[in-house]
Amino acid sequence: MYKFKFVALVLCLSVIFGFQSPVSATQSVEHPMLKVYKTPTCGCCTKWLAHLTQFNISHQIYDLPNLSEVKRKLGVQARYQSCHTGVSDNGYVFEGHIPAKFIKQFLSNPIENAIGLSVPAMPLGSPGVEVGKRFNPYQVLILMKDGSSKVFATVTEYEEQF
């Protein structure tokens, strides 16, 4: 009887104060949520968002006429930029056409002193930039707080993105 009351109390406090159980913390890595900043007319951004949805990454869209201020505030330097910017609930930045699997890998094991990941520009064949069977290999970069980057993953074939 006392055990039941304790469990009920913990559950009530969790609801009132928004505490996450270990199960919900795991689910947030498996089913993350991104705030995505993009321009209203970007077709490849819409396709990338469909890719995220397909792989259980939720998103909230913020259409803006100009993204340069958002990217500046988030610390995304010009050489790492693309057409859209996603931000996780815990503040990590996901710039460009990053495959969902790499977003989830990063969130499950964040890199110390990193602000997030980037796929600069718009590599042909990356999620959202599909053109028939054409594909250009590309790298997913880790963006560091000091402005530098490191390679997180190298994608040499289309199938490696999934």
Side-chain angles (χ1 to χ4, degrees):
M1 180 67 170
Y2 291 111
K3 184 176 181 180
F4 173 76
K5 286 183 181 180
F6 176 75
V7 170
L9 176 65
V10 169
L11 288 174
C12 287
L13 290 173
S14 294
V15 170
I16 292 169
F17 294 106
F19 298 138
Q20 286 190 335
S21 70
V23 172
S24 65
T26 300
Q27 289 173 346
S28 68
V29 171
E30 293 173 9
H31 302 285
M33 167 66 138
L34 299 181
K35 292 178 183 174
V36 178
Y37 301 91
K38 66 179 208 58
T39 57
T41 58
C42 185
C44 65
C45 294
T46 303
K47 290 178 183 178
W48 180 71
L49 292 169
H51 166 79
L52 294 185
T53 300
Q54 181 182 359
F55 290 94
N56 298 313
I57 297 179
S58 301
H59 46 81
Q60 193 170 16
I61 301 167
Y62 296 88
D63 281 325
L64 303 172
N66 187 331
L67 302 176
S68 57
E69 184 62 20
V70 169
K71 293 173 189 291
R72 187 190 66 72
K73 284 182 179 179
L74 293 170
V76 181
Q77 295 180 17
R79 66 179 178 240
Y80 303 125
Q81 292 181 8
S82 186
C83 56
H84 56 262
T85 305
V87 182
S88 68
D89 286 341
N90 48 7
Y92 289 109
V93 175
F94 298 96
E95 179 71 19
H97 293 269
I98 304 166
K101 82 174 201 176
F102 297 122
I103 293 171
K104 288 181 175 184
Q105 284 175 8
F106 180 88
L107 289 173
S108 69
N109 191 20
I111 310 298
E112 188 175 344
N113 294 316
I115 64 167
L117 299 177
S118 173
V119 170
M122 295 170 41
L124 197 60
S126 62
V129 195
E130 294 91 353
V131 179
K133 295 186 184 249
R134 296 173 61 192
F135 178 80
N136 289 339
Y138 65 93
Q139 293 180 326
V140 178
L141 303 177
I142 304 168
L143 302 180
M144 305 306 290
K145 290 179 181 177
D146 68 2
S148 65
S149 68
K150 300 177 185 177
V151 176
F152 183 76
T154 299
V155 182
T156 58
E157 296 180 22
Y158 178 81
E159 294 76 21
E160 293 174 349
Q161 302 174 103
F162 309 101

